């Protein structure tokens, strides 16, 4: 069993003592005060959400499974740094965003290295097929044209239903900046989709 899995088991086994109905803010305050077992409620509440978010960014089931464990472990280890005046969900998504961003950067470096060594192999993995089916063909193709920051913004707003203020907190920018970037990204996506649809119709006809 990997170090990651052992640590997740330790967290979960030490978090199963009770289930309560306190708000997430109350739970975090109690966890910070020493009641670590309450972190099980955090895992139950956010594990699936963070997995789906990581999957949309990484487009890989296995990498998303690893990522959600890493994110929850980081949150558990750094829970003392969370400030009560902040939004916990935004704090957790911020950890997930930066973790996935670093993962994508590593992938990009590895891809460039394989190209340099002329060892790149084109493979349609099962995960890529699943990712493709999440969206219609024009939308999927359009999303691939966006950089990871723009895709992340759309995922947070559309799929995670985050407010502009929450997204700003996750990304570390102002609400006004988020609104401007969102409108710009949405306009860019719309143009790419329209071009793609024209290409598909031309192919059919």
């Amino acid at each position: 069993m990997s170090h990651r899995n052992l640590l997740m088991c330790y967290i979960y086994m030490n978090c199963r003592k009770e289930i309560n109905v306190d708000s997430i803010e109350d739970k975090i305050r109690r966890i910070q005060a020493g009641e670590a077992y309450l972190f099980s409620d955090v895992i139950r509440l956010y594990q699936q959400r963070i997995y789906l978010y990581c999957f949309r960014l990484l487009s890989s089931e296995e990498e998303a499974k690893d990522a959600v464990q890493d994110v929850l472990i980081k949150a558990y280890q750094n829970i003392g740094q969370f400030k009560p005046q902040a939004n916990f969900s935004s704090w957790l998504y911020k950890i997930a965003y930066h973790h996935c961003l670093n993962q994508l950067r590593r992938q990009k470096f590895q891809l460039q290295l394989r190209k340099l060594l002329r060892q790149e192999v084109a493979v349609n993995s099962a995960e890529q097929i699943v990712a493709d089916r999440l969206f219609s063909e024009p939308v999927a193709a359009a999303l691939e044209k966006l950089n990871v920051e723009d895709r992340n913004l759309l995922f947070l707003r559309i799929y995670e239903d985050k407010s502009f203020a929450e997204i700003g907190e996750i990304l570390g920018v102002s609400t006004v900046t988020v609104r401007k970037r969102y409108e710009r990204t949405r306009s860019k996506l719309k143009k790419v989709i329209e071009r793609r649809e024209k290409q598909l119709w031309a192919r059919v006809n």
Side-chain angles (χ1 to χ4, degrees):
M1 185 178 287
S2 69
H3 174 72
R4 180 196 294 116
N5 290 335
L6 281 171
L7 190 49
M8 279 297 290
C9 287
Y10 170 81
I11 292 171
Y12 192 74
M13 292 304 294
N14 283 275
C15 290
R16 295 187 62 185
K17 295 183 180 178
E18 73 174 60
I19 299 174
N20 58 66
V21 293
D22 293 345
S23 69
I24 190 65
E25 290 79 12
D26 290 335
K27 286 187 176 70
I28 299 305
R29 280 194 290 269
R30 292 175 63 185
I31 293 168
Q32 290 177 323
E35 298 182 68
Y37 60 85
L38 289 176
F39 199 78
S40 62
D41 292 345
V42 175
I43 293 175
R44 279 190 287 270
L45 184 60
Y46 288 103
Q47 188 172 29
Q48 185 64 14
R49 301 185 199 178
I50 297 298
Y51 166 76
L52 290 173
Y53 175 63
C54 292
F55 176 71
R56 287 170 183 139
L57 284 177
L58 299 173
S59 299
S60 166
E61 291 183 27
E62 288 304 315
E63 289 179 10
K65 288 176 183 176
D66 289 342
V68 70
Q69 292 188 52
D70 289 337
V71 169
L72 289 171
I73 288 170
K74 286 180 182 178
Y76 180 74
Q77 293 173 332
N78 295 283
I79 196 72
Q81 299 178 18
F82 173 72
K83 301 293 187 285
Q85 63 268 26
N87 181 286
F88 179 75
S89 177
S90 298
W91 182 77
L92 188 59
Y93 271 86
K94 187 173 186 176
I95 293 174
Y97 169 62
H98 286 290
H99 179 83
C100 291
L101 194 60
N102 288 334
Q103 181 69 11
L104 289 169
R105 285 170 178 162
R106 285 194 293 270
Q107 289 175 359
K108 184 177 180 180
F109 172 77
Q110 291 168 355
L111 181 62
Q112 290 172 335
L113 184 61
R114 285 199 300 270
K115 285 183 177 179
L116 183 64
L117 298 174
R118 299 182 183 278
Q119 293 178 349
E120 183 181 12
V121 178
V123 176
N124 287 322
S125 67
E127 290 82 9
Q128 288 172 328
I129 294 171
V130 171
D132 290 343
R133 289 174 180 172
L134 284 175
F135 314 101
S136 67
E137 202 279 342
V139 175
L143 285 169
E144 290 177 0
K145 299 293 184 182
L146 301 178
N147 60 42
V148 64
E149 287 83 6
D150 288 343
R151 289 202 307 273
N152 177 59
L153 181 58
L154 289 174
F155 292 151
L156 286 172
R157 180 63 178 165
I158 298 171
Y159 293 98
E160 303 298 332
D161 199 28
K162 297 292 183 184
S163 67
F164 289 121
E166 288 175 317
I167 296 173
E169 195 171 343
I170 293 169
L171 301 182
V173 298
S174 69
T175 302
V176 173
T177 298
V178 172
R179 286 182 179 275
K180 289 181 179 178
R181 281 181 53 186
Y182 178 73
E183 291 303 323
R184 186 169 63 246
T185 301
R186 191 171 66 168
S187 176
K188 186 190 306 182
L189 183 66
K190 182 179 178 182
K191 290 177 181 177
V192 174
I193 290 174
E194 288 174 349
R195 281 201 303 269
R196 185 61 181 168
E197 286 178 338
K198 287 180 181 178
Q199 291 173 354
L200 288 174
W201 277 112
R203 192 186 306 167
V204 171
N205 296 326

